Amino acid sequence: MAKIAFIGLGNMGGPMAANLVKAGHDVTVFDLSDAAVKALEADGASSAGTARAAAGGAECVITMLPAGQHVESVYLGEGGLLAHLPEGTLVIDSSTIAPETARGVAEAARARNIPFLDAPVSGGVGGAKAGILTFICGGGEDTFNKAKPILEGMGKNIFHAGDHGSGQVAKICNNMMLAILMAGTSEALALGVKNGLDPAVLSEIMKQSSGGNWALNVYNPWPGVMDGVPASRDYQGGFLVNLMNKDLGLAFDNAVKNHAPIPMGALARNLFELHAGQGNGELDFSSIQRFYCPEDK
Ligand code: NAD
């Protein structure tokens, strides 16, 4: 079992760190939010007052932060962790960030002989709680093999997508598709309901038909159709619209750089931006359902 520092205990990082404790690791946590730290202490983790203190003596550091600027602020610069970690400390960043940001952190780590892996995840808060996340890793083969037993404490499918940044590329492709599927699912449900159909009945029909997809099958956006999903608790918790917009922005920027046409992704980005601009940024992304049915708010 490893001595692990876990930094970033939000909707995803909290349950991920708790699963590492359950798996028998010695976990020290840090977050800017005291409440998040207290919750992990109750789950059996130790805590520290700074990221650097949490990482003291750790064999492995894992971060789960909102966006690229947070990852850079934790790792880079004179006060950043990479300047202070001993050589050989395994560093895993599971945040969803731009591939080039991940490559920049990897380069800074390489300069200090610190193995780094970008390892963004898929599976949502439900997957994080159940310990069945998909990890999509970018980095050297040796680093991947070293990280895999630790990632298995939090996930079920652990993929090696390629070199540094590849995990992030695969992740932003996946999330662009997820945004398109969630918007499409919401649109179809709203059309059926406007025609008098029961959303639960329509959902079951589409699940067993060619329209079945992850958003419909396990994350139904219509309130009350499925237990335990954000739609059934007023779109609280889950994966925030603001974070989905961040990921759609990453996909858009990447598409421009690579001359890759993404008309569906661009439309989804516009829809979610409009939705955020209407005051929904802090709701789960399945709240895009409300965009189609504002009268049902
Ligand atoms: P979140 O906003 O719930 O949690 C982020 C946490 O990071 C917060 O607790 C915040 O206090 C902490 N934090 C921010 N800056 C910090 C710093 N400098 N030091 C220490 N802690 C700091 O976000 P989340 O939903 O847990 O998502 C985290 C990452 O995972 C994002 O990149 C997101 O895109 C990705 N992701 C989220 C989901 C999901 O369903 N929520 C799914 C897959 C991937």
Side-chain angles (χ1 to χ4, degrees), residues 30-258:
F30 171 68
D31 193 289
L32 299 176
S33 151
D34 287 342
V37 170
K38 290 228 154 51
L40 258 293
E41 283 173 345
D43 284 330
S46 310
S47 70
T50 62
R52 203 169 140 190
E59 297 153 71
C60 172
V61 175
I62 303 177
T63 40
M64 191 54 167
L65 298 164
Q69 69 266 29
H70 307 97
V71 174
E72 287 181 326
S73 80
V74 165
Y75 285 118
L76 303 182
E78 276 179 26
L81 288 183
L82 292 179
H84 303 280
L85 290 174
E87 286 189 9
T89 309
L90 174 62
V91 172
I92 302 171
D93 177 47
S94 282
S95 326
T96 305
I97 61 174
E100 53 271 31
T101 308
R103 287 186 201 113
V105 177
E107 185 53 36
R110 196 198 53 75
R112 292 228 45 251
N113 285 328
I114 290 171
F116 174 81
L117 200 67
D118 47 294
V121 302
S122 179
V125 175
K129 285 185 177 157
I132 55 166
L133 289 170
T134 296
F135 281 86
I136 313 165
C137 305
E141 183 98 36
D142 287 357
T143 310
F144 174 74
N145 289 333
K146 217 171 147 190
K148 201 165 176 236
I150 292 173
L151 300 181
E152 279 167 349
M154 303 176 281
K156 195 170 66 169
N157 296 301
I158 322 287
F159 290 108
H160 189 197
D163 207 353
H164 296 299
S166 306
Q168 298 295 351
V169 173
K171 170 67 184 171
I172 61 182
C173 292
N174 180 75
N175 272 26
M176 182 180 78
M177 185 161 71
L178 173 61
I180 295 166
L181 290 172
M182 186 56 85
T185 299
S186 302
E187 195 166 301
L189 287 171
L191 178 63
V193 169
K194 285 224 158 67
N195 279 272
L197 265 62
D198 179 332
V201 172
L202 176 59
S203 294
E204 204 48 39
I205 292 168
M206 294 196 294
K207 269 167 75 175
Q208 305 304 334
S209 306
S210 44
N213 71 82
W214 190 89
L216 178 74
N217 297 3
V218 307
Y219 213 98
N220 195 296
W222 197 281
V225 169
M226 196 174 269
D227 286 338
V229 294
S232 293
R233 45 171 196 268
D234 223 10
Y235 301 108
Q236 297 302 308
F239 182 43
L240 305 188
V241 170
N242 285 338
L243 287 178
M244 178 53 97
N245 280 340
K246 175 210 41 153
D247 293 356
L248 288 167
L250 294 174
F252 192 84
D253 292 347
N254 189 279
V256 170
K257 277 184 200 130
N258 288 289

Side-chain angles (χ1 to χ4, degrees), residues 275-288:
H275 188 52
Q278 291 169 342
N280 301 304
E282 297 292 317
L283 297 181
D284 177 73
F285 80 114
S286 63
S287 65
I288 196 70

